[in-house]
Amino acid sequence: MPFKLFEVSKEIPERKEHTYVKHCNDPEDCLPTCNSKTIPGSMTERGCAFAGAKGVITGALKDVAHIVHSPVGCTVYGYGTKRYPTTTTLPDGSEFPIKDFNIKYIIGTDLQESDVVFGGIKKLRQAIRDTNKEFPFVSAIYLYATCTTGLIGDDMDGLAKEMEEEIGKPIIAFNAPGFAGPTQSKGHTIGNNVLFSQLVGKFEPPQTTPYDINLIGEYNIDGDLWLLKDYFKEIGINVLSTFTGDSSHYEISWMHRAKLSVVRCQRSSTYIAKMIEEKYGVPYIKTDFFSTNYCAENLKTVAKFFGLEEKADKLITERMGKIKPELDFYKEKLTGKKVFIFSGGPKSYHISIPIEKELGMETTGVSSMFEHEDGFQKMKDRVKEGALVIDDPNTLELEELVEDYDIDLILGGVKEKYLVHKLGIPSLLIHSYENGPYIGFEGFLNLARDMYSSIYSPVWNLLEFQETEEPDIIDPAEELEEAK
Amino acid sequence: MSCINIIEKERSAIINPMKTCQPLGAMYAVTGINRAVPLVHGSQGCSSFVRYSLSRHFREPSEIAVTSLHEDAAVFGGRRNLVEGIQNVAIRLKPSLIGVITTCSSEIIGDDIIGFIGTAKKELNEKLGQDKAEKIKIVPISTPSFVETQLKGYDNAIKALADHVAEPGEPNEKVNIIPGMVNPGDVREIKHILNLMDTEGIILTDISDPFDSPLRPSATQYKPYYPKGGTTVEEITDSANSLGTISLCKYAGSGALSLEKKYNVPVELGPIPIGIQNTDQLLRNLKKITGTDIPDSILDERGLLIDSMADLSGRYLHGRTVGIYGDPEITAGMARFVGELGMEPKMVITGSKSPEFIKDIEKVGKETGVEIDTMVDQDLRTMEVYLQENPVDLLIGSSDARLIAKEQNIPLVRVGFPVFDRVGYHRKPIVGYNGGLHLIDLITNTVLENYYENEHWKLQQ
């Protein structure tokens, strides 16, 4: 039977179609149902389209002021929630005055009852003026619809046009209210479409090289981008635009000038790579840079495109040499440990094979809150027989999973972390990371170290009070010494 | 002479708010009920973001359900979502109570929440049988996010409990306490005070255990996991029969007033017992309601705090200027306490519009003789700009201003919600005499680290 109904979900039998148990003889299209509406009241871990647009796609830009057109809540919850740091360097060589501006400030219209009745455009207009006065140095102003403004029907696009003329700065509206689409993925789509249609192709880069790439779907979580950029630089490849980690407004507008688009997060942003290919003929490749093998393979692929294989090989050998001894230690410690990956999107398929092949762990199951069929196909391909592939798992299913599958570690988000701890299972943040970056060679070592620290924390041996004293206490320090 | 300068908001846009929306307050309140589930009638983001915020602050699970409103509901209404949502929560989670919390979207589309709950109840009766179905209380809590702040949402939740759950019965000799949106450490301190006063309390609602719960897998009930503790539904029912209600949060008095109106339960509103005088007032209120004498043991605790203040305030704290920001209740309480410490609350700022807050600060101005720049309906950006011109020695407030504090080189004592970049703050009280002790240690050590470390010989004695 390829599908599983959790005991806790027996009252909502439609959940069965969302939990696929891998069977090697199944036809290709045997996948969990996904990208469909969540069953009301089922304790989903999903977010909303607004979160997808602002929280994922645009929030990482360093020189843009974001105005959330909403009652105060959406503004607050869009504030500093993701760890994507930024530098102050702009592509034309000038300096943006504030580091991490994107993390530091969020602007809102603070809609009140009267605005809901009479419309909020007046307030949004004033908010744009206020923003321009308060932060005159920003390159552009982005506006976000929310449930409230979506429902009252404020015409943000019209206002953006009008105000662009008045303040002389690009203003872009994102109509991704929270209720749009079944998951935050809808917000990704809207974000990509808007940025493509309004920005890409509008400006030319200050300079180009024959080795220019777009790095797409890389949001610089915990500094991921900076590691990757170093690699590319060493190989001789120039990142012309990043979509959108540590990136800037105008950088997006010359994505059409790259020679190749390299897509990292394949859920949130393959859309834009496709559109750039269709309109401007820039080819794109989907890549994985998590783990040493994937990173090496994919760096080689990108390097090969430019005929720079040798430089890539040299970098790979050097970086691997540096991390290998420590990584070997973690492999020994982590071998056989069972992991469940509860990530937002692609990490569920990026990480499953590396932790098995390179660290000897076992992927018991993978899941996502907002993946589509293509992503679930990859998840399915990359897990072993019997592993679970779950769409939109809910809290109760997570509890059952922990109880029944003897899991050693859960990779998840803040909402899941503390719950599984209560059930006696270590958990590690995979969305914004614990001690990242997690990308590339050094990053994979960080991930291995964090998994090791979580699983081997002495606390897990102390969970229950023992009536009698343990006779032999193994000194973990000695053990570590011996292992080395 | 003292006076306060009220600084009005000049800008229309809100930049880095220091308030949030009503539903968060309601979700917080429902979490304080034993085996209760907050069910948010809105988009998935409405539960997701609040769960994230609460989990980040408390480092605890925050189990909140959502009815997942989408485009079709926006057009045709959310009836099906709510009825189905209630059923799924009721059947799968077997809760004692479901708090149905509205949002922007469900308020705007005008869903008839009470009607929908009626339908859901009927269907539940058929599915579960009347006995089981009736054990699950379903309480509608109206919390449009475009009205006021999280405190109003908290207030509306407590009022909804008073209106829909409380029932008259035998007098119980207990005191109802509405703690306000405080931390587990604070609620524990309040219970400690009640204990010393030999008074039984009904805490409306008690988040102390649900948001600070032991990790004991063997004792954890799997499927579903509920944290231990919280006020039981029976206690809430019994709140109609108490000697009186003390709302420690002035801004959350509707539930108390409702109990007074319907069941003649007398009310005392505020103040939040931060510092000496406010805690003294709590004791007097308790005495007034219960007739219990104030025991020596609690006066000893008061004496310990006074002792500590006498030892420290003149030497290290006197005259140091302080900026305080956050929700109006805690900000006003903190302003009074720093005044009692001989410090100068030069700037207080809150995100809500509140005449009560201004009155409280006026009082502090009179007591301290300090000219206090008072800002209401403001945001953190206003504070940032203000501080550039008017620096203070110390800031007190949430983690949200951590970057502002760091950039302006002003030490920050973290108090309020949210605090996510330090640990332990939710466990320790800021209310009561013990809370005062904790605060004075925190404040003094921060002052020592920042103003004395460079010349550490000054700390010889």
Side-chain angles (χ1 to χ4, degrees):
Chain A
M1 284 295 283
F3 292 95
K4 174 190 167 77
L5 183 62
F6 281 95
E7 182 65 23
V8 286
S9 290
K10 62 180 191 294
E11 288 89 2
I12 40 176
E14 56 270 48
R15 275 294 306 160
K16 187 174 174 182
E17 303 302 312
H18 296 266
T19 306
Y20 168 76
V21 187
K22 172 144 174 182
H23 194 291
C24 291
N25 294 331
D26 287 339
E28 271 286 287
D29 60 354
C30 206
L31 290 170
T33 302
C34 61
N35 200 28
S36 58
K37 279 180 217 156
T38 297
I39 299 158
S42 65
M43 226 50 144
T44 178
E45 306 289 319
R46 276 177 173 169
C48 64
F50 162 64
K54 159 72 176 71
V56 176
I57 306 290
T58 57
L61 290 168
K62 65 177 138 198
D63 59 342
V64 170
H66 304 279
I67 304 180
V68 187
H69 188 28
S70 71
V72 69
C74 305
T75 308
V76 172
Y77 306 129
Y79 172 38
T81 49
K82 232 178 192 154
R83 266 208 317 261
Y84 28 42
T86 61
T87 57
T88 53
T89 321
L90 292 173
D92 63 359
S94 64
E95 293 290 313
F96 191 72
I98 298 175
K99 194 168 164 278
D100 300 325
F101 180 75
N102 57 331
I103 295 178
K104 214 175 151 191
Y105 294 104
I106 192 146
I107 305 150
T109 44
D110 195 11
L111 294 178
Q112 303 294 310
E113 206 163 8
S114 59
D115 306 313
V116 171
V117 178
F118 300 109
I121 280 292
K122 211 174 126 191
K123 254 193 159 166
L124 184 57
R125 183 180 290 118
Q126 189 53 45
I128 294 169
R129 287 180 184 140
D130 288 346
T131 301
N132 193 43
K133 196 172 149 200
E134 208 75 22
F135 306 115
F137 43 77
V138 296
S139 306
I141 296 172
Y142 290 3
L143 317 174
Y144 301 88
T146 53
C147 291
T148 300
T149 48
L151 288 168
I152 63 178
D154 280 350
D155 174 19
M156 293 204 320
D157 289 306
L159 184 74
K161 229 177 223 171
E162 175 198 324
M163 292 307 287
E164 212 167 75
E165 276 174 34
E166 183 183 314
I167 69 162
K169 220 171 247 178
I171 300 180
I172 298 184
F174 294 86
N175 285 297
F179 55 74
T183 74
Q184 69 174 69
S185 179
K186 184 72 180 174
H188 305 157
T189 322
I190 294 168
N192 280 269
N193 281 324
V194 170
L195 288 178
F196 177 77
S197 61
Q198 301 221 20
L199 272 183
V200 178
K202 281 231 169 127
F203 290 92
E204 295 301 318
Q207 61 191 44
T208 54
T209 73
Y211 304 101
D212 287 341
I213 61 165
N214 295 320
L215 193 47
I216 294 179
E218 170 49 63
Y219 304 105
N220 200 28
I221 292 172
D222 238 15
D224 271 358
L225 167 75
W226 295 331
L227 266 185
L228 286 184
K229 259 193 161 168
D230 279 352
Y231 297 166
F232 285 124
K233 199 175 168 194
E234 232 174 286
I235 296 173
I237 293 167
N238 177 46
V239 179
L240 185 68
S241 298
T242 312
F243 185 89
T244 51
D246 196 15
S247 188
S248 55
H249 173 77
Y250 286 105
E251 219 173 304
I252 305 298
S253 63
W254 52 69
M255 287 171 85
H256 61 298
R257 285 294 175 230
K259 302 287 179 293
L260 176 73
S261 290
V262 175
V263 182
R264 247 265 284 133
C265 176
Q266 298 166 25
R267 175 75 280 129
S268 65
S269 58
T270 312
Y271 315 99
I272 197 159
K274 267 187 190 163
M275 291 184 281
I276 294 173
E277 182 176 49
E278 280 161 20
K279 189 164 175 188
Y280 299 101
V282 181
Y284 73 90
I285 50 168
K286 294 184 179 182
T287 55
D288 292 350
F289 291 106
F290 280 108
S291 88
T292 63
N293 284 349
Y294 282 155
C295 186
E297 270 173 37
N298 286 282
L299 282 179
K300 278 187 206 167
T301 312
V302 180
K304 198 176 166 194
F305 183 87
F306 294 103
L308 297 166
E309 294 98 317
E310 270 178 35
K311 280 189 162 177
D313 287 342
K314 186 168 168 270
L315 177 136
I316 293 162
T317 316
E318 266 176 29
R319 303 277 166 153
M320 273 308 288
K322 271 187 202 155
I323 65 157
K324 184 85 176 35
E326 207 185 331
L327 199 62
D328 284 345
F329 168 76
Y330 294 126
K331 181 174 182 174
E332 195 194 319
K333 287 292 173 186
L334 295 171
T335 294
K337 299 292 180 193
K338 291 182 181 170
V339 185
F340 182 81
I341 308 171
F342 190 168
S343 129
K347 284 188 201 105
S348 290
Y349 53 79
H350 286 321
I351 293 175
S352 58
I353 289 184
I355 63 168
E356 288 193 355
K357 289 210 171 141
E358 297 176 48
L359 295 171
M361 302 170 94
E362 191 182 313
T363 307
T364 309
V366 289
S367 66
S368 170
M369 285 93 90
F370 54 80
E371 256 306 344
H372 302 206
E373 280 85 356
D374 56 338
F376 276 109
Q377 183 68 55
K378 276 184 256 184
M379 280 185 226
K380 174 186 167 182
D381 293 345
R382 295 181 181 192
V383 293
K384 284 188 181 146
E385 184 79 1
L388 301 168
V389 184
I390 318 177
D391 168 64
D392 189 22
N394 55 59
T395 303
L396 286 184
E397 291 174 353
L398 189 65
E399 288 175 30
E400 188 173 325
L401 205 120
V402 166
E403 204 180 10
D404 289 358
Y405 285 78
D406 196 20
I407 285 163
D408 295 302
L409 178 72
I410 290 195
L411 304 179
V414 175
K415 287 176 289 183
E416 301 86 57
K417 180 178 172 104
Y418 301 110
L419 173 69
V420 300
H421 283 183
K422 288 288 191 282
L423 308 176
I425 305 293
S427 167
L428 191 145
L429 298 176
I430 199 69
H431 304 181
S432 275
Y433 310 161
E434 308 263 346
N435 300 293
Y438 281 171
I439 204 85
F441 304 103
E442 296 91 330
F444 193 59
L445 187 63
N446 290 341
L447 172 65
R449 188 188 296 124
D450 279 354
M451 290 200 286
Y452 168 79
S453 338
S454 299
I455 295 175
Y456 281 87
S457 165
V459 69
W460 306 114
N461 299 325
L462 304 170
L463 292 180
E464 301 298 340
F465 176 75
Q466 304 293 336
E467 289 291 339
T468 50
E469 201 184 345
E470 290 278 330
D472 289 316
I473 293 169
I474 304 160
D475 183 352
E478 266 178 35
E479 204 194 3
L480 200 135
E481 207 45 52
E482 273 174 35
K484 277 181 176 170
Chain B
M1 258 310 283
S2 77
C3 67
I4 64 169
N5 306 318
I6 313 255
I7 301 174
E8 300 282 346
K9 195 178 172 193
E10 284 173 10
R11 167 173 28 79
S12 165
I14 192 163
I15 305 178
N16 295 358
M18 53 173 103
K19 60 175 179 179
T20 188
C21 63
Q22 282 208 51
L24 182 136
M27 293 181 230
Y28 168 99
V30 175
T31 303
I33 302 167
N34 183 259
R35 288 186 70 90
V37 177
L39 171 65
V40 185
H41 190 33
S43 302
Q44 279 146 197
C46 300
S47 73
S48 202
F49 281 126
V50 172
R51 292 176 72 187
Y52 172 86
S53 304
L54 295 173
S55 282
R56 189 168 65 149
H57 174 84
F58 295 109
R59 294 180 200 263
E60 287 288 321
S62 167
E63 299 306 301
I64 295 164
V66 62
T67 59
S68 301
L69 292 185
H70 293 297
E71 289 94 339
D72 52 347
V75 179
F76 302 113
R79 181 176 182 274
R80 188 194 62 83
N81 296 65
L82 186 54
V83 172
E84 204 181 321
I86 289 174
Q87 276 187 23
N88 283 330
V89 169
I91 295 170
R92 295 177 77 227
L93 293 155
K94 301 167 189 73
S96 61
L97 181 145
I98 300 172
V100 177
I101 296 160
T102 63
T103 56
C104 306
S105 32
S106 49
E107 290 282 343
I108 293 172
I109 60 181
D111 275 354
D112 169 18
I113 304 295
I114 293 183
F116 297 172
I117 288 177
T119 312
K121 274 184 178 165
K122 255 186 232 157
E123 291 188 14
L124 266 186
N125 272 342
E126 284 165 22
K127 284 201 171 161
L128 289 176
Q130 200 158 343
D131 276 5
K132 277 189 184 167
E134 276 178 6
K135 275 191 189 142
I136 303 169
K137 295 269 178 197
I138 304 174
V139 179
I141 305 168
S142 170
T143 50
S145 321
F146 39 79
V147 177
E148 297 196 32
T149 71
Q150 74 276 10
L151 281 176
K152 183 69 189 163
Y154 172 79
D155 186 37
N156 282 346
I158 305 296
K159 180 168 191 306
L161 294 171
D163 288 348
H164 295 270
V165 183
E167 277 174 26
E170 293 297 306
N172 62 21
E173 304 291 311
K174 293 179 184 176
V175 178
N176 302 327
I177 303 277
I178 301 171
M181 293 188 69
V182 291
N183 278 324
D186 296 314
V187 179
R188 285 180 182 143
E189 177 60 19
I190 291 157
K191 292 200 274 194
H192 167 72
I193 292 171
L194 289 175
N195 197 20
L196 291 181
M197 289 285 287
D198 205 17
T199 300
E200 265 196 80
I202 295 175
I203 314 286
L204 299 170
T205 62
D206 183 355
I207 51 85
S208 63
D209 289 328
F211 278 140
D212 189 15
S213 175
L215 199 167
R216 294 184 59 198
S218 63
T220 304
Q221 289 173 292
Y222 286 18
K223 291 193 275 177
Y225 165 81
Y226 280 110
K228 67 175 278 202
T231 312
T232 61
V233 170
E234 291 72 30
E235 284 177 287
I236 300 171
T237 310
D238 197 23
S239 65
N241 312 306
S242 298
L243 294 167
T245 307
I246 301 179
S247 180
L248 301 179
C249 178
K250 226 178 276 180
Y251 310 88
S254 312
L257 293 170
S258 187
L259 289 174
E260 181 176 52
K261 197 172 161 199
K262 276 167 119 171
Y263 309 113
N264 296 318
V265 183
V267 179
E268 293 293 337
L269 287 189
I272 188 166
I274 293 177
I276 296 289
Q277 295 169 91
N278 283 1
T279 308
D280 289 355
Q281 186 59 41
L282 170 63
L283 299 189
R284 288 191 289 267
N285 286 344
L286 279 170
K287 184 177 176 180
K288 186 172 159 194
I289 287 172
T290 62
T292 315
D293 278 332
I294 293 163
D296 229 34
S297 53
I298 205 164
L299 296 179
D300 270 351
E301 289 193 355
R302 187 182 189 278
L304 281 174
L305 175 56
I306 294 287
D307 184 52
S308 166
M309 289 164 73
D311 296 345
L312 300 171
S313 69
R315 169 78 195 268
Y316 302 116
L317 306 179
H318 194 91
R320 295 215 181 259
T321 57
V322 188
I324 309 166
Y325 59 92
D327 95 40
E329 190 72 55
I330 291 174
T331 303
M334 285 303 306
R336 197 171 196 200
F337 185 46
V338 300
E340 290 171 346
L341 292 172
M343 303 175 94
E344 298 186 2
K346 287 295 242 191
M347 180 218 72
V348 292
I349 175 165
T350 184
S352 68
K353 294 178 212 168
S354 171
E356 283 294 323
F357 178 73
I358 295 171
K359 269 189 233 155
D360 283 345
I361 301 303
E362 266 168 356
K363 197 169 171 187
V364 177
K366 270 189 203 135
E367 285 169 4
T368 56
V370 176
E371 201 171 296
I372 305 173
D373 287 340
T374 306
M375 299 179 248
V376 289
D377 191 21
Q378 294 280 16
D379 54 31
L380 286 169
R381 172 67 180 168
T382 304
M383 181 174 94
E384 181 182 23
V385 173
Y386 170 90
L387 288 172
Q388 281 163 359
E389 298 292 317
N390 310 277
V392 290
D393 295 330
L394 194 73
L395 268 175
I396 298 178
S398 76
S399 295
D400 279 340
R402 70 201 185 285
L403 299 174
I404 294 172
K406 191 165 181 259
E407 224 167 73
Q408 305 201 13
N409 215 8
I410 306 173
L412 170 63
V413 170
R414 285 153 180 84
V415 159
F417 181 90
V419 175
F420 48 77
D421 61 338
R422 291 291 186 276
V423 298
Y425 283 67
H426 68 289
R427 275 196 299 274
K428 302 217 176 79
I430 60 168
V431 303
Y433 302 126
N434 286 321
L437 268 181
H438 166 59
L439 278 174
I440 196 173
D441 291 349
L442 203 61
I443 291 171
T444 312
N445 284 330
T446 306
V447 167
L448 292 179
E449 276 162 25
N450 287 278
Y451 295 101
Y452 286 81
E453 288 266 286
N454 294 340
E455 298 167 288
H456 52 274
W457 45 266
K458 276 188 179 290
L459 297 172
Q460 288 293 80
Q461 54 201 275

